Amino acid sequence: MSTVTVVGASLAGLYAARALRGQGYEGRLVIVGDEPHRPYDRPPLSKDFLTGAADRAALELSDPEEERELDATWLLGVRATGLDPRGRAVRLADGRELRTDAVVIATGATPRTLGGVDLAGVHTLRTLDDAEALRAELSGGPVRVVVIGAGFIGAEVASSCRSLGHEVTVVEAAAVPLVPQLGPDMAAFCAGLHAAHGVPLLAGTGVTALRGAAGRVHGVELTDGRVLPAEVVVVGVGVRPRTGWLAGSGLPLDDGVRCDAGGATPLPTVVAVGDVARLDGHRAEHWTSATEQPAVAVRNLLAGRTVAEVTGVPYFWSDQYGVRLQFAGRTRPGDTVRIADGALADGPLAAGDGFLAVYERAGHPVAALAANRPRPFTRLRRELARAAR
């Protein structure tokens, strides 16, 4: 193949480009990204970058020397609008049509929003531009912040805002957030981190409307009738995989691009990686998935068939209120949980406090959650990875 196009100048897209060159591909390499920025690291956006502890330079994932070695054509600030695999073309929003022999789909995901809301002070947090806009609003002195959604991004934003001295309230529709991911006991621990640091968590209630005046938000109306005053609102209610541009391509789309366990689609010249890819029935919105999947998917792309599968154990981490949370594996309802190291604690964790929780199924470990326990967690994560292989 003479040309490979990576659609998505994301973490997964960059790793796919690296894998192509690392596995011997010497043809033309094109990287398309709808943002004007080179690939950057997203996890700090809700943490160190938002608080001002890190600048833009700290987010960079590549340097000029590596970019020269990649020898890629970068098309940034332009959105892909269509894919014609049979005609071997990627259509762009500016009217161009890129002829290509193969495509790596790495378009990631986009935040879900509250429909019909167009008020200043209302933010989502996904991109560097999102983070810069929110950081600017938080830098002018104390404000009242309402975070809608108590998932990991919402919790990290709430933690960052609280550390900056803002008055923060978190609203969550579920009775206890994160139960599907962590189970009821560990989810309750994570929920308790908010109250332990002076952040009310209003769970089991939704949002009816955002109130505003003169084009700016000033309140959040809840389904139970309460109205929370707010100068800044952050909406963190999940994401949608960016597959709209693939309509009519013939690719199977179902909460992402449906792939086999190696990232290969039914079209032998197209693979998908990262947040947009649904591998073997699972879609993982995590940093490690975006770095581990591309090498396997690219190998299959260059081979023209699936010769390798992604076997890694899902892993993610989150920093909230000074606590490093790490999770690996996959849980199911009915898994038992035991504390293998440390102890659960009520209130803020003191220095040295923390725990390692092990999820077991039929007597075998299948997942782990750690709070400030990196070493025992890493050992168990290795065991889970060996079992998966």
Side-chain angles (χ1 to χ4, degrees):
M1 56 186 70
S2 61
T3 301
V4 176
T5 300
V6 177
V7 184
S10 56
L11 175 70
L14 176 63
Y15 271 71
R18 288 173 176 171
L20 283 161
R21 292 306 190 206
Q23 294 181 30
Y25 175 70
E26 297 180 347
R28 183 171 182 248
L29 175 59
V30 181
I31 303 174
V32 178
D34 63 345
E35 294 184 62
H37 315 293
R38 288 284 204 271
Y40 56 86
D41 208 15
R42 294 187 192 274
L45 295 181
S46 57
K47 299 183 278 287
D48 286 350
F49 185 81
L50 191 59
T51 62
D55 59 13
R56 288 182 62 161
L59 305 179
E60 294 176 359
L61 291 172
S62 61
D63 56 37
E65 180 179 354
E66 181 189 14
E67 290 171 8
R68 285 193 296 271
E69 292 175 353
L70 281 178
D71 189 26
T73 299
W74 295 80
L75 301 179
L76 300 176
V78 60
R79 180 171 50 88
T81 58
L83 173 64
D84 180 4
R86 292 167 183 80
R88 297 189 173 186
V90 175
R91 293 187 294 275
L92 304 181
D94 62 8
R96 281 180 289 178
E97 191 169 88
L98 304 178
R99 295 292 173 181
T100 187
D101 299 296
V103 174
V104 179
I105 299 171
T107 43
T110 189
R112 297 183 185 276
T113 60
L114 302 180
V117 175
D118 185 18
L119 294 170
V122 179
H123 298 263
T124 56
L125 183 57
R126 178 73 181 181
T127 69
L128 175 56
D129 292 343
D130 292 340
E132 288 186 326
L134 179 56
R135 188 166 77 166
E137 291 234 53
L138 298 173
S139 64
V143 294
R144 292 170 295 186
V145 181
V146 173
V147 178
I148 303 172
F152 290 107
I153 290 296
E156 289 173 359
V157 169
S159 170
S160 295
C161 290
R162 184 62 179 150
S163 73
L164 292 170
H166 301 293
E167 180 184 327
V168 184
T169 302
V170 179
V171 178
E172 167 61 42
V176 180
L178 300 173
V179 169
Q181 295 87 351
L182 303 179
D185 294 338
M186 296 301 105
F189 165 78
C190 291
L193 289 174
H194 296 289
H197 292 83
V199 175
L201 170 61
L202 307 182
T205 185
V207 173
T208 300
L210 299 185
R211 294 186 177 182
R216 184 168 188 88
V217 70
H218 66 66
V220 178
E221 183 178 341
L222 306 182
T223 52
D224 61 13
R226 284 176 291 178
V227 177
L228 306 177
E231 287 80 43
V232 173
V233 174
V234 183
V235 181
V237 292
V239 299
R240 293 179 288 103
R242 300 186 62 181
T243 58
W245 69 283
L246 295 169
S249 66
L251 290 172
L253 307 177
D254 176 18
D255 186 37
V257 180
R258 286 210 323 255
C259 311
D260 65 14
T265 74
L267 301 173
T269 59
V270 180
V271 296
V273 294
D275 292 359
V276 75
R278 188 172 183 84
L279 271 64
D280 199 25
H282 300 282
R283 192 170 64 82
E285 300 168 5
H286 305 308
W287 192 93
T288 47
S289 300
T291 60
E292 293 173 353
Q293 293 172 3
V296 175
V298 162
R299 181 180 173 189
N300 295 330
L301 181 68
L302 295 177
R305 60 189 178 88
T306 298
V307 296
E309 296 182 349
V310 177
T311 58
V313 173
Y315 165 73
F316 64 86
W317 75 93
S318 180
D319 295 315
Q320 303 172 26
Y321 304 106
V323 178
R324 166 57 65 97
L325 299 170
Q326 294 172 281
F327 182 88
R330 289 193 178 96
T331 64
R332 294 179 188 168
D335 290 346
T336 59
V337 182
R338 65 180 177 89
I339 304 300
D341 186 277
L344 285 171
D346 294 328
L349 296 183
D353 284 352
F355 63 87
L356 172 68
V358 181
Y359 296 75
E360 295 178 331
R361 190 178 308 145
H364 299 285
V366 294
L369 173 71
N372 293 341
R373 283 294 187 271
R375 289 185 178 179
F377 174 84
T378 299
R379 288 194 294 269
L380 185 53
R381 182 186 172 196
R382 291 196 191 105
E383 292 180 21
L384 294 172
R386 285 195 293 269
R389 288 193 296 269

